[in-house]
Amino acid sequence: SLSFTTALSLCAWVCPDAMAGNGSVIGQDGSATRGWYALVLNSGGMKLHLESAIGGNAVTGGTVLTAGTWYFASFIWSGTTISVHLNGVSDAVPVACTIFSNGSDILGIGDSPPYTGKFKGKMWGHKAFPNQVLSTTEMTKIYQQERHLLGV
């Protein structure tokens, strides 16, 4: 499990294959009514998506991802909003969200929760920052420091 109380920042490099359905990047959930998950949503093209199942709030990025391309994905809960960022830049208007589950369910990478579907593609460098909201500067710094490792 992943324990946090006031905020949560998650980052991962993702390189999706062409997916027919959704693909979980990281999540902590035991049912469709509690928990949270960050995924690549396939709805009008592959896009980043963060959802708080317990709060019923979700945000979906605006950029359509290209299969076979590496992206630095960041998923943020600030305590009052949820947001998604692509390569260190905001990819959607933040959505209000004051309730974000902090349960004891198993933390899953690439296959959690089961109803979102397995991630199809490559992932690397998952990072979690409990009780911390990464700034755009911090996200950009991680992106710049790591992108050469993947040839981006």
Side-chain angles (χ1 to χ4, degrees), residues 1-71:
S1 72
L2 179 63
S3 181
F4 56 92
T5 55
T6 59
L8 178 64
S9 297
L10 303 163
C11 304
W13 285 90
V14 297
C15 181
D17 291 341
M19 296 188 306
N22 302 331
S24 178
V25 175
I26 188 169
Q28 185 173 6
D29 198 358
S31 74
T33 59
R34 67 174 197 265
W36 55 269
Y37 45 96
L39 55 94
V40 173
L41 178 71
N42 195 350
S43 176
M46 295 183 291
K47 301 176 183 178
L48 298 182
H49 180 82
L50 177 62
E51 186 163 337
S52 170
I54 193 169
N57 306 92
V59 61
T60 302
T63 302
V64 175
L65 308 181
T66 302
T69 300
W70 281 103
Y71 298 94

Side-chain angles (χ1 to χ4, degrees), residues 15-149:
C15 181
D17 291 341
M19 296 188 306
N22 302 331
S24 178
V25 175
I26 188 169
Q28 185 173 6
D29 198 358
S31 74
T33 59
R34 67 174 197 265
W36 55 269
Y37 45 96
L39 55 94
V40 173
L41 178 71
N42 195 350
S43 176
M46 295 183 291
K47 301 176 183 178
L48 298 182
H49 180 82
L50 177 62
E51 186 163 337
S52 170
I54 193 169
N57 306 92
V59 61
T60 302
T63 302
V64 175
L65 308 181
T66 302
T69 300
W70 281 103
Y71 298 94
F72 182 65
S74 302
F75 306 91
I76 312 290
W77 174 58
S78 69
T80 58
T81 63
I82 53 176
S83 58
V84 293
H85 303 261
L86 192 61
N87 297 337
V89 178
S90 177
D91 196 39
V93 174
V95 172
C97 180
T98 56
I99 301 172
F100 206 78
S101 178
N102 182 17
S104 59
D105 294 309
I106 295 171
L107 183 68
I109 297 176
D111 187 23
S112 178
Y115 58 86
T116 63
K118 293 182 180 182
F119 182 83
K120 294 171 184 67
K122 300 175 217 163
M123 293 189 287
W124 180 82
H126 287 73
K127 294 170 185 56
F129 301 88
N131 301 315
Q132 183 178 349
V133 178
L134 289 182
S135 67
T136 300
T137 301
E138 291 168 315
M139 284 184 274
T140 301
K141 183 177 179 181
I142 295 168
Y143 169 73
Q144 294 295 342
Q145 287 175 334
E146 294 180 349
R147 66 191 203 128
H148 72 280
L149 299 171

